[in-house]
Amino acid sequence: MIDLVQAGRLDEAERAARELLVRYPEVPDGHERLGMVYEARGDHPQAADCYRKVVEFIRAHPGDFDPQYEQFLLSKLDPPATS
C-alpha cells in the first residue's frame, strides 16, 4: 500500500487502508496508512487525526512498539509550515 501512495495512486491506497481498518481493527496499520494518504493529499489535519489514533494505540500497548516509532508519529502531528 505504501507503493500506491508513492505512485500517487491515492484512491487505491485509501481503499486499501480502509479495508485494513475493517479487516484488522485490532492493529494500527490501517490508521497509519490512511494518515499517509491524507498527508499525500495535503490534508494535514486529517492525517494528524489518523496518526493520533496510532499513538493512542501505541501508548495502550507499552513495550510492543519501538519508542522511535511513536516519536516519528508525534513529529507528524504538527508539521512545520512550508513556504
Side-chain angles (χ1 to χ4, degrees), residues 11-43:
D11 291 340
E12 289 176 70
E14 181 177 354
R15 280 192 297 277
R18 293 191 183 282
E19 185 175 326
L20 272 177
L21 288 170
V22 170
R23 294 181 75 181
Y24 306 102
E26 70 282 357
V27 298
D29 296 15
H31 290 292
E32 182 188 15
R33 301 307 191 272
L34 190 55
M36 292 172 67
V37 171
Y38 285 128
E39 189 174 358
R41 288 181 173 151
D43 189 344

Side-chain angles (χ1 to χ4, degrees), residues 39 44 74-83:
E39 189 174 358
H44 296 290
L74 288 171
S75 74
K76 292 179 161 288
L77 296 184
D78 191 19
T82 57
S83 48

Side-chain angles (χ1 to χ4, degrees), residues 20-75:
L20 272 177
L21 288 170
V22 170
R23 294 181 75 181
Y24 306 102
E26 70 282 357
V27 298
D29 296 15
H31 290 292
E32 182 188 15
R33 301 307 191 272
L34 190 55
M36 292 172 67
V37 171
Y38 285 128
E39 189 174 358
R41 288 181 173 151
D43 189 344
H44 296 290
Q46 285 290 103
D49 186 52
C50 292
Y51 295 142
R52 269 189 211 90
K53 290 175 184 175
V54 179
V55 169
E56 289 171 14
F57 187 91
I58 290 169
R59 289 180 176 171
H61 299 87
D64 290 349
F65 296 90
D66 185 330
Q68 290 179 342
Y69 178 49
E70 180 181 354
Q71 290 305 310
F72 170 73
L73 292 170
L74 288 171
S75 74

